[in-house]
Amino acid sequence: ALRQNTSKQPKLSQSSFSLRSHTCGELCSSHVDEEVTLCGWIQYLRQDLFVILRDFSGLVQILIPQDESKSELKNAFLGLTVESVIMVKGRVRRRPEGQENKKMSTGEIEVCAESMEVLNTCRKLPFEIKEFVKKSEVLRMQYRYLDLRSPRMQYNLRLRSQMVMKMREYLCNLHGFVDVETPTLFKRTPGGAKEFVVPTGDPGKFYSLPQSPQQFKQLLMVAGIDRYFQLARCYRDEGSKPDRQPEFTQVDIEISFVDQAGVMSLIEGLVHYSWPEDKGQINVPFPSMTYEEAMRDYGVDKPDTRFGMKLVDVTTAFQGTQIEFIKDALLKPGGCIQAICVPEGTVRTESVDSDSNVPTVYVAPVRADGSLKSPLSRLLSDTAKQQLLQMAQANAGDLIFITAGPLENVRPLLGKLRLQCAELLECYGVPVRDPSVFHFLWVVDFPLFLPKEDDPEMLESAHHPFTAPVPEDAHLLYTQPHKVRGQHYDLVLNGCEIGGGSIRPLCPFFSVLLVIRDVIAFPKSFRGHDLMSHAPDFVSEEDLKPYHISVVWPRHGGFNLRMPFKNLMIRSFLPIEWPASRE
Amino acid sequence: ALRQNTSKQPKLSQSSFSLRSHTCGELCSSHVDEEVTLCGWIQYLRQDLFVILRDFSGLVQILIPQDESKSELKNAFLGLTVESVIMVKGRVRRRPEGQENKKMSTGEIEVCAESMEVLNTCRKLPFEIKEFVKKSEVLRMQYRYLDLRSPRMQYNLRLRSQMVMKMREYLCNLHGFVDVETPTLFKRTPGGAKEFVVPTGDPGKFYSLPQSPQQFKQLLMVAGIDRYFQLARCYRDEGSKPDRQPEFTQVDIEISFVDQAGVMSLIEGLVHYSWPEDKGQINVPFPSMTYEEAMRDYGVDKPDTRFGMKLVDVTTAFQGTQIEFIKDALLKPGGCIQAICVPEGTVRTESVDSDSNVPTVYVAPVRADGSLKSPLSRLLSDTAKQQLLQMAQANAGDLIFITAGPLENVRPLLGKLRLQCAELLECYGVPVRDPSVFHFLWVVDFPLFLPKEDDPEMLESAHHPFTAPVPEDAHLLYTQPHKVRGQHYDLVLNGCEIGGGSIRPLCPFFSVLLVIRDVIAFPKSFRGHDLMSHAPDFVSEEDLKPYHISVVWPRHGGFNLRMPFKNLMIRSFLPIEWPASRE
C-alpha cells in the first residue's frame, strides 16, 4: 500500500491504512460497479453459489463465479470452512430483481468475486457464532475470543469505547479537566482488608493494589490540578462475591472550588453529552430524592423508580390489635407495620407452585369480594381489614405483603420483596420494568453516620470519613450525630447505583462505575477466575523465591458453602422479622 | 450556584460549574470593570499593598484595600501566609500608568479586592514553590504534591493530558479504532521472570501483572475487533534498574488487514495529529534507516541523528601494521578498526582533568600541524597516519577515538563513546544536541534473530517470537537464519526508542511509550519506591494469612553493589576491547 497522507482528516474512516477498500456492512447501491477489496470472516456458504462474509460492520453477499474459466476460484471458495478469514477482490453489482433481501442492510447488492486469498483457516468451533445459539456462561467465558465475535458483544464493546470517548471530550475538551494517571502499585491502607498485596524483591515489603485513586486525587487537588479526571483501574479483593470483578474501571472526577449543585450539573452534562444516540434522548436535570424519602417509599437507597409498589405504613390499621407478636413488634423501639401491594399479584402468581424453576411464594390474595384470603384474616377486625385494604390501595386480585418489626429492618426487607415481586411477575411475562427506559435519579442528604453493622450502638461513617456535613446540621455533630446529613449524593439508574460523590472541604469528587459485565472484554468469573487463561494459577516455589515468600498450605482441605441470597424463599406473608433482630 | 444548562457546549470553559468566575491567568484589559471571583494560592505579598494570586493558568495581582472602612479585610490579607488558598471577589481595573508589568501576562490589570474568604491556611513548607529554587530529587518526590505546583510540572501534566486526548481523537474518531480495556490481573507467563505476582485467597494460586496486553490484543483481533487501541498500564519487575518504572503506560495499537507501510503511515499520522503546537511543526513521513545502516553509522539501533560524529571504518589505514595487538584483533573473525572523530574535541576538553566532577578522558588530539599527539603515533607510518586523518575527516584540533576488535563489539562501543562525547562537550557548554529539535526516525529491517546473550552460538528472537520474516528472506530461515530480516520496526526520537511494532500474520501492532518521568504525576524512585507514601511497605503476617503466604526472611543481611555503567571511565584512546571478548 502507498504511504497515505495522514494530515488532519475530517471524517471517520474505517478502512484507512488497510488492505481492504471498504467494510462489508457499508456497501450499498451507491457502490454499484465499484471494484472493492473486503476482508472478513465466512458467516456461511449457500447453495455453492454465495459466500456470506462478515466483519464488525455487518454482512455482505459474495457471488462465487460459476463459469468454467474460473473453476479454480470456485473450488477455493467451496473448500472454505465457516469462520475462516479471507480477502476478496470483486465488483459490486445490483442483485437481480426479486433477489433483494430487505432484512439485510446490504441486501440490494452483492459482490462478484474476482480473486480471493485465504488469510486463515478455521477448524471446528466449540459453538456457532450466531446470536440465537444459546451457550452456557462457562463456555462463553472459556472461548471469550469467539464469544466476542457475536454482534451483541461487537456492539457493546464499540458502544463502550464511544461513550468513554465522549466522556473524555466533555471533560477534557469542553471543561478543562486534566487526565492524570495515578499509580496502581501503592502502599497498603491500614485496615485495607480488600486490597490485593504485591510482593516485591525487598524481603517482607509489599505494594498494594488500591481500591480507588482516593488519596492521589486529593493530593492532585492540593497540587493545584483543580480539575482532575481519570478512567481509573480499581482493585478489590472481595473473594467470591457474585457480580463483583476483582478489577474494574471507574470514571474518577475531582474538582476544586465547587458546591454540590455544581458537581450535579457537571455529571448531568457528562451523561447527557455521552449518552448514545440510539438509546433515545435523556432529559436533564435528573430528578432528586432524599435518602429518607427513598427509604420510606422504596425501602432502599437506590430505588428503581420505573414501577410503583411503594411501601405503605399500615401501623394504624393494627392499632389496638390483640395479635400477640404484632403487639410485641409495636412495643419495641421503632416498631411499625408496613406493606406493599402487588397489583393483580394473585392473578399472575396463582400457578407459582406448579413451576419448580421459580422461587416458591405463598400468596396472600385479596378475593374478588375484597376479603383477605389469609390466616391473618380471622385475627383482624373487619374495620382493620377495610382500613388495611384502603391504605394499601388494594383491589380485587392484588397481593399484599405485610411486615412488622423495627422500622430500620422492615423497610429494607420490603424493599427487597418489592424487587423480587417485579422479577417474579416478569418471569410470568408481566412487563414491570421497561428495559428501554432510563430513570436517572439523584439520591441526596445521606446520613453522615450509620449504626455500625457489628455494634449498632456505635456509629460509623456512612460512606467515607472525608464527607463534609450539610452546613445547617453541623451543630448536631456532637449532640445528635445520627441526625447529621452528609454532603454525599448518589446517581441511581433503574435501581443501580452508577455513581456517587461527596463534598469535601474544597474538593468535591465523583465516580461513575463502568463494570457492566457485557461491556468488559475479558471479565473474571464471580470467583475471580479467568476461565479462558485459568488465572489465577499455581506458581512454583522457585518463582516465589525472589519475592521472599512461600505458600502456607492449609492443613485441611477447604469447603465453601455459599448461601445464595438473591432469591429469598418466601414461605409466608406472615410477619417476617429481619434476621439481624433474631440474634 | 444555580444548576447550569449543560447541553452541548461548543467551547472550552475552565470555570464552568465553579465558584470562581474566571481563572487568574485569563484576566486582561478586556475584563476591566468586571466583577470577578477568583480562587487560588497565595504566591506572595508585596509592600502590604498587593497579593499575587496563582492558579494553574497563571498569576494575577490583587490590590488590598487601604481605606480605613476596610481595615478588617486589609488585616485578613496581611495575616495570610504564602501558599494559603483563598477565594477573592473584586473588580478588575487597569493598573495606574507606569505600573504595568510587561513580563506578566496579566500585567496590564489588577483586581481591587472587595471580599475574601480563606479556604485553607498553609503552614511552613519544606521548600518554596518557585522554579528557580533548586530542590533535591528526593525532596521533590517526598513532597510530590507540592512539587506538582511548579509551573513546569503543571505544564507537563496538562501537555500529557492534551496529547493523549489528541491521540484518542485520531484513533477513535478519525480511524475507527475501538478502545478496549484488557485485564491486568492475568495468568503468569511461563518464564515471565519480570512479572509481579499477586497472591489470591486460593492457596498457592497467584495472578500476575502482565508486561503488556500482548495476548489479549491478539485475541481481540481473533475476536474481530480489527482495530484496537488502549492506553495500557503495563508492569515490569526489573528490580533496581534506573530510569525504569515498575508500572508504565503505553499506547497499544493492533490492526488487522494491513502491511508495514500502512502501520507506519498510521503512526506518522498519530504523532503529527497529536503533536503539541508550541513544539513547532513536524514533517511526515519520517525518514527511515535500516538496522544495518544504524549500526554501521551510529553503533546503535536507536541513533540520535541530531549530530554527526559517525563511525568510520579505518581498517585499511592499518593494513600491514606491525602493532601486535592490532594485528591480533584483525586476525579474529569480524576483526576491524573503526574510529569516531570529535570536531574540535581537543580545544574543548583540554581542561577535562582539572574538573573532578566530569569523567576523566585522556585525549588523543590532532595537533595544529596535523600530526597525532598520541603514543600510537610513533607506531604508525606517515602514510598510515595521513590515511587515518583523511578517512576520519579530522582537522587540526579534532579528537579521534580508535577501536580494534570484532565488528559486533566495536560498533556498540563507539556508539556509546559517541554519546558520551556529546554529553561531555555539553558539560563544557558546546551545543551538540539541540533540545528544541525533534528528529523522528524509523529503524527498519531488524534481524529476526540475534545471538543469545549467554550463549552466542545460539540464536534467539530479536524482539518477540510473533514477528513475521521479510518475505524475500523467508527461504533463508532454515539455512542462514541470522541473515533473515524481520518485519519489525522501531520509532526513534532523538536517540530514544519511543515505539516499536511488527507485522504478525494478519495482526500488525504498535506500541508507543509514555514513560517520561516528568509527565508522570507520581513516579517511583529507581528502586521502585514511592518516596511520598513509602510504598512498598511491610505487611503483618496477620494480613498475609488470607493469601496463604508467609515471608521467608533472608538468613543474612543483603548487600547490593551496583555498577554504574552510564559513564564509562575512558583512560586511553588505545584499542579498548569489549568486556565480553575478554572472557
Side-chain angles (χ1 to χ4, degrees):
Chain A
L2 275 175
R3 301 278 286 278
Q4 295 164 24
N5 177 6
T6 53
S7 56
K8 296 192 188 188
Q9 287 168 24
K11 240 186 85 194
L12 173 63
S13 163
Q14 308 257 22
S15 300
S16 45
F17 316 112
S18 183
L19 302 178
R20 72 177 170 228
S21 64
H22 295 77
T23 61
C24 297
E26 75 177 296
L27 294 180
C28 62
S29 50
S30 77
H31 295 94
V32 165
D33 286 336
E34 266 185 54
E35 181 86 38
V36 297
T37 306
L38 304 173
C39 297
W41 286 256
I42 307 288
Q43 185 79 357
Y44 55 90
L45 282 96
R46 195 154 65 88
Q47 301 164 346
D48 287 1
L49 199 61
F50 302 111
V51 167
I52 307 299
L53 193 68
R54 184 194 74 230
D55 66 16
F56 72 93
S57 68
L59 301 167
V60 71
Q61 180 164 293
I62 312 286
L63 184 68
I64 304 173
Q66 300 297 317
D67 49 311
E68 199 55 46
S69 69
K70 298 211 170 156
S71 62
E72 203 178 324
L73 182 58
K74 181 180 178 179
N75 288 334
F77 270 113
L78 298 185
L80 289 170
T81 50
V82 289
E83 294 301 318
S84 290
V85 188
I86 62 169
M87 177 161 74
V88 185
K89 275 187 210 298
R91 196 172 290 279
V92 181
R93 71 165 199 186
R94 202 174 294 281
R95 291 196 193 183
E97 221 178 296
Q99 291 188 26
E100 298 92 349
N101 183 347
K102 292 230 165 107
K103 285 185 204 154
M104 201 172 173
S105 74
T106 62
E108 287 195 353
I109 56 98
E110 59 194 4
V111 177
C112 305
E114 282 157 18
S115 71
M116 187 267 284
E117 189 182 334
V118 180
L119 300 177
N120 227 330
T121 308
C122 179
R123 286 178 292 184
K124 183 139 180 56
L125 293 177
F127 52 81
E128 286 184 75
I129 314 294
K130 283 173 182 161
E131 208 63 19
F132 57 83
V133 177
K134 289 258 182 211
K135 293 140 288 210
S136 77
E137 183 81 356
V138 170
L139 198 66
R140 281 182 58 200
M141 289 304 138
Q142 199 176 348
Y143 297 96
R144 184 61 164 175
Y145 46 93
L146 298 177
D147 183 47
L148 289 178
R149 288 187 189 174
S150 71
R152 192 172 59 95
M153 286 308 303
Q154 289 279 331
Y155 171 80
N156 283 352
L157 287 185
R158 286 181 158 77
L159 179 71
R160 184 188 195 283
S161 172
Q162 281 155 18
M163 273 191 76
V164 165
M165 188 64 203
K166 295 287 277 179
M167 287 181 175
R168 292 178 179 282
E169 284 174 13
Y170 175 84
L171 291 169
C172 207
N173 295 350
L174 298 188
H175 296 289
F177 282 77
V178 186
D179 180 6
V180 183
E181 289 198 0
T182 58
T184 57
L185 293 175
F186 191 46
K187 184 191 162 94
R188 193 167 170 85
T189 313
K194 292 174 179 175
E195 287 174 7
F196 287 104
V197 294
V198 181
T200 68
D202 279 357
K205 289 207 168 180
F206 294 80
Y207 293 116
S208 86
L209 299 174
Q211 292 192 41
S212 79
Q214 180 83 6
Q215 278 108 320
F216 285 110
K217 66 183 180 180
Q218 286 182 252
L219 289 173
L220 285 172
M221 293 301 110
V222 173
I225 303 290
D226 60 15
R227 300 186 155 214
Y228 143 91
F229 87 102
Q230 182 182 194
L231 264 87
R233 192 66 64 97
C234 304
Y235 300 86
R236 203 164 295 173
D237 182 12
E238 304 207 85
S240 302
K241 283 201 185 167
D243 292 334
R244 294 285 174 96
Q245 291 286 320
E247 56 181 318
F248 57 93
T249 298
Q250 64 183 28
V251 185
D252 201 49
I253 296 172
E254 185 108 7
I255 171 173
S256 292
F257 315 126
V258 72
D259 57 16
Q260 180 165 323
V263 181
M264 286 162 82
S265 296
L266 167 74
I267 299 301
E268 284 164 355
L270 176 72
V271 175
H272 187 261
Y273 184 87
S274 59
W275 193 250
E277 274 175 38
D278 63 350
K279 300 286 181 200
Q281 177 83 18
I282 54 166
N283 297 318
V284 289
F286 303 142
S288 78
M289 187 182 281
T290 66
Y291 171 85
E292 175 54 27
E293 287 166 346
M295 291 307 291
R296 185 191 67 201
D297 293 347
Y298 299 94
V300 69
D301 59 2
K302 43 183 183 196
D304 189 338
T305 53
R306 285 175 300 173
F307 69 106
M309 301 192 211
K310 288 187 191 178
L311 277 61
V312 187
D313 193 295
V314 293
T315 310
T316 52
F318 289 84
Q319 222 74 52
T321 183
Q322 295 309 312
I323 311 169
E324 280 304 319
F325 63 90
I326 290 189
K327 268 169 75 178
D328 287 354
L330 286 176
L331 282 173
K332 285 185 187 157
C336 68
I337 307 171
Q338 303 219 343
I340 56 170
C341 172
V342 183
E344 297 186 65
T346 62
V347 183
R348 306 296 186 165
T349 54
E350 282 292 10
S351 61
V352 170
D353 282 349
S354 65
D355 185 343
S356 62
N357 280 330
V358 174
T360 312
V361 175
Y362 286 98
V363 291
V366 182
R367 290 202 191 88
D369 61 3
S371 66
L372 280 170
K373 178 186 166 189
S374 146
L376 198 67
S377 182
R378 58 190 161 79
L379 297 170
L380 279 179
S381 71
D382 281 351
T383 329
K385 275 189 270 189
Q386 267 322 107
Q387 207 179 347
L388 177 61
L389 288 171
Q390 205 181 343
M391 292 174 109
Q393 296 187 294
N395 298 313
D398 289 1
L399 184 71
I400 308 173
F401 288 96
I402 305 166
T403 313
L407 188 66
E408 68 266 29
N409 297 342
V410 161
R411 283 176 169 178
L413 179 63
L414 283 179
K416 279 199 176 129
L417 265 177
R418 175 177 172 269
L419 291 176
Q420 285 178 21
C421 286
E423 213 168 290
L424 204 60
L425 286 169
E426 283 164 3
C427 283
Y428 287 95
V430 184
V432 180
R433 300 168 294 189
D434 185 343
S436 70
V437 155
F438 298 92
H439 274 220
F440 284 94
L441 174 74
W442 289 111
V443 179
V444 299
D445 286 352
F446 274 79
L448 195 58
F449 305 106
L450 283 175
K452 257 191 160 169
E453 244 178 67
D454 49 356
D455 182 3
E457 297 294 300
M458 300 289 287
L459 295 174
E460 61 182 353
S461 295
H463 288 91
H464 53 71
F466 310 112
T467 308
V470 171
E472 54 265 41
D473 291 358
H475 68 283
L476 301 169
L477 262 175
Y478 296 98
T479 52
Q480 296 180 288
H482 57 284
K483 287 197 177 166
V484 177
R485 291 164 298 166
Q487 294 194 53
H488 179 97
Y489 40 99
D490 276 351
L491 181 59
V492 173
L493 169 60
N494 294 353
C496 297
E497 180 198 326
I498 60 160
S502 60
I503 297 285
R504 291 193 270 263
L506 306 187
C507 303
F509 77 99
F510 202 84
S511 309
V512 177
L513 281 181
L514 298 163
V515 278
I516 316 159
R517 188 191 194 77
D518 271 357
V519 297
I520 300 177
F522 301 101
K524 302 277 190 296
S525 79
F526 79 95
R527 288 197 206 177
H529 289 180
D530 178 342
L531 297 175
M532 190 177 67
S533 75
H534 303 293
D537 205 356
F538 294 105
V539 167
S540 72
E541 286 291 320
E542 196 56 35
D543 281 355
L544 294 181
K545 253 189 200 160
Y547 297 111
H548 306 280
I549 54 170
S550 72
V551 176
V552 183
W553 296 96
R555 297 218 182 163
H556 306 286
F559 182 74
N560 287 324
L561 183 66
R562 265 177 305 281
M563 299 293 283
F565 198 68
K566 202 177 162 197
N567 293 312
L568 280 168
M569 295 285 275
I570 302 151
R571 300 220 156 261
S572 167
F573 89 106
L574 285 174
I576 302 165
E577 291 200 10
W578 192 239
S581 63
R582 282 196 192 147
E583 285 164 19
Chain B
L2 275 176
R3 299 280 286 277
Q4 295 165 22
N5 177 7
T6 53
S7 57
K8 296 193 190 188
Q9 286 169 21
K11 239 186 85 194
L12 172 64
S13 165
Q14 309 257 24
S15 300
S16 46
F17 315 114
S18 183
L19 301 179
R20 71 176 170 229
S21 64
H22 295 77
T23 61
C24 296
E26 72 177 298
L27 294 180
C28 61
S29 51
S30 76
H31 295 93
V32 166
D33 285 336
E34 267 186 54
E35 182 86 35
V36 297
T37 307
L38 304 173
C39 297
W41 285 256
I42 307 288
Q43 185 78 358
Y44 56 91
L45 282 97
R46 196 153 64 87
Q47 300 164 345
D48 287 2
L49 200 61
F50 303 111
V51 166
I52 307 300
L53 193 67
R54 183 193 75 230
D55 66 16
F56 72 93
S57 68
L59 301 168
V60 70
Q61 179 164 295
I62 312 286
L63 185 68
I64 304 172
Q66 300 297 316
D67 50 309
E68 199 55 46
S69 69
K70 298 206 171 162
S71 63
E72 203 177 326
L73 181 58
K74 179 179 178 181
N75 288 335
F77 270 113
L78 296 186
L80 288 171
T81 50
V82 288
E83 295 300 318
S84 290
V85 189
I86 62 169
M87 178 160 74
V88 184
K89 276 189 210 296
R91 195 171 292 277
V92 182
R93 71 165 198 187
R94 202 176 293 282
R95 291 196 193 183
E97 222 177 296
Q99 291 188 27
E100 299 92 349
N101 182 345
K102 292 230 163 104
K103 286 186 203 153
M104 202 172 173
S105 74
T106 62
E108 287 195 353
I109 56 97
E110 59 193 2
V111 177
C112 305
E114 282 158 19
S115 71
M116 188 268 285
E117 190 181 334
V118 180
L119 301 176
N120 226 331
T121 309
C122 180
R123 284 178 293 183
K124 181 136 184 60
L125 292 177
F127 51 81
E128 284 186 76
I129 315 296
K130 282 174 185 164
E131 207 65 17
F132 57 83
V133 177
K134 291 260 181 212
K135 293 140 287 209
S136 78
E137 183 81 356
V138 170
L139 198 66
R140 281 182 57 200
M141 291 303 140
Q142 199 179 346
Y143 296 96
R144 184 60 164 174
Y145 46 94
L146 296 179
D147 183 48
L148 289 178
R149 288 187 188 173
S150 71
R152 192 172 62 94
M153 286 309 303
Q154 290 278 330
Y155 170 81
N156 283 352
L157 287 185
R158 287 181 156 79
L159 179 71
R160 184 188 194 283
S161 172
Q162 281 155 18
M163 273 191 77
V164 164
M165 189 64 203
K166 296 288 277 181
M167 287 182 173
R168 293 179 179 281
E169 284 174 12
Y170 176 85
L171 291 167
C172 207
N173 294 352
L174 298 187
H175 297 288
F177 282 75
V178 186
D179 180 6
V180 183
E181 287 199 2
T182 58
T184 57
L185 292 175
F186 192 45
K187 184 193 164 92
R188 193 168 169 85
T189 312
K194 291 175 179 174
E195 288 175 9
F196 286 104
V197 295
V198 182
T200 70
D202 279 357
K205 290 207 170 180
F206 294 80
Y207 293 115
S208 85
L209 299 175
Q211 292 192 39
S212 78
Q214 181 83 4
Q215 277 108 319
F216 285 109
K217 66 183 180 182
Q218 285 181 252
L219 290 172
L220 285 171
M221 294 299 110
V222 172
I225 304 288
D226 60 15
R227 301 186 155 214
Y228 144 90
F229 87 101
Q230 183 183 193
L231 265 89
R233 191 68 62 102
C234 303
Y235 300 86
R236 203 164 292 173
D237 183 11
E238 303 206 85
S240 303
K241 282 201 187 169
D243 292 333
R244 294 285 173 94
Q245 291 286 319
E247 57 181 316
F248 56 92
T249 298
Q250 63 185 28
V251 185
D252 201 49
I253 296 172
E254 186 108 6
I255 170 171
S256 292
F257 315 127
V258 74
D259 57 16
Q260 180 165 325
V263 181
M264 285 162 81
S265 295
L266 168 72
I267 299 300
E268 283 164 356
L270 177 71
V271 175
H272 187 262
Y273 184 85
S274 59
W275 193 249
E277 276 176 37
D278 63 351
K279 299 286 181 200
Q281 177 83 18
I282 53 167
N283 297 317
V284 289
F286 302 141
S288 79
M289 188 183 282
T290 66
Y291 171 84
E292 174 54 27
E293 288 167 345
M295 292 306 292
R296 185 192 68 201
D297 294 347
Y298 298 93
V300 68
D301 60 0
K302 43 182 183 197
D304 189 339
T305 53
R306 285 176 298 173
F307 68 107
M309 300 192 212
K310 288 187 192 179
L311 277 60
V312 186
D313 193 296
V314 293
T315 309
T316 50
F318 289 84
Q319 220 77 50
T321 182
Q322 294 310 310
I323 310 170
E324 279 305 318
F325 64 88
I326 290 190
K327 268 167 76 178
D328 285 356
L330 286 175
L331 282 173
K332 284 183 187 161
C336 68
I337 307 170
Q338 303 218 345
I340 56 170
C341 172
V342 183
E344 297 186 62
T346 63
V347 183
R348 306 295 185 167
T349 53
E350 281 292 12
S351 61
V352 170
D353 282 351
S354 65
D355 186 342
S356 60
N357 281 329
V358 174
T360 312
V361 174
Y362 285 98
V363 293
V366 182
R367 290 200 190 91
D369 61 2
S371 65
L372 280 170
K373 177 186 168 189
S374 147
L376 199 69
S377 182
R378 58 188 161 79
L379 298 169
L380 279 179
S381 71
D382 281 352
T383 326
K385 274 188 270 189
Q386 267 322 107
Q387 206 178 347
L388 177 63
L389 288 172
Q390 205 179 342
M391 293 174 107
Q393 297 187 294
N395 296 313
D398 289 1
L399 184 69
I400 308 172
F401 288 97
I402 305 167
T403 314
L407 188 64
E408 68 265 30
N409 296 345
V410 162
R411 282 176 170 179
L413 179 63
L414 283 179
K416 279 199 177 132
L417 265 178
R418 175 176 171 270
L419 291 176
Q420 284 178 19
C421 286
E423 213 167 290
L424 204 60
L425 286 170
E426 283 164 2
C427 282
Y428 287 96
V430 185
V432 180
R433 300 167 295 189
D434 185 344
S436 71
V437 155
F438 298 94
H439 275 220
F440 285 95
L441 174 75
W442 290 110
V443 179
V444 299
D445 287 352
F446 274 79
L448 195 58
F449 304 106
L450 282 176
K452 256 189 160 170
E453 243 177 68
D454 48 357
D455 181 5
E457 298 293 299
M458 301 289 288
L459 293 174
E460 62 181 355
S461 296
H463 289 89
H464 54 70
F466 309 113
T467 309
V470 171
E472 54 266 41
D473 291 356
H475 67 284
L476 300 170
L477 262 176
Y478 296 98
T479 52
Q480 296 179 288
H482 57 283
K483 286 197 176 166
V484 178
R485 291 164 298 166
Q487 294 194 55
H488 179 96
Y489 40 99
D490 276 351
L491 182 57
V492 174
L493 170 59
N494 294 353
C496 298
E497 180 197 328
I498 60 160
S502 60
I503 296 287
R504 292 191 270 262
L506 307 185
C507 303
F509 77 100
F510 201 84
S511 309
V512 177
L513 282 181
L514 298 164
V515 277
I516 316 160
R517 187 191 195 78
D518 270 356
V519 296
I520 301 176
F522 300 101
K524 302 278 192 296
S525 78
F526 79 96
R527 290 196 204 178
H529 290 179
D530 178 342
L531 297 176
M532 192 176 66
S533 76
H534 303 292
D537 205 357
F538 294 104
V539 167
S540 74
E541 285 292 318
E542 197 54 37
D543 281 355
L544 294 181
K545 252 188 200 162
Y547 297 111
H548 306 280
I549 54 171
S550 71
V551 175
V552 183
W553 296 96
R555 295 217 184 165
H556 305 285
F559 183 74
N560 287 322
L561 183 65
R562 265 177 305 281
M563 300 291 283
F565 200 68
K566 203 179 164 197
N567 292 310
L568 280 168
M569 295 282 276
I570 302 150
R571 298 218 158 262
S572 169
F573 88 105
L574 284 174
I576 301 164
E577 293 201 6
W578 192 237
S581 62
R582 283 197 192 149
E583 284 165 20

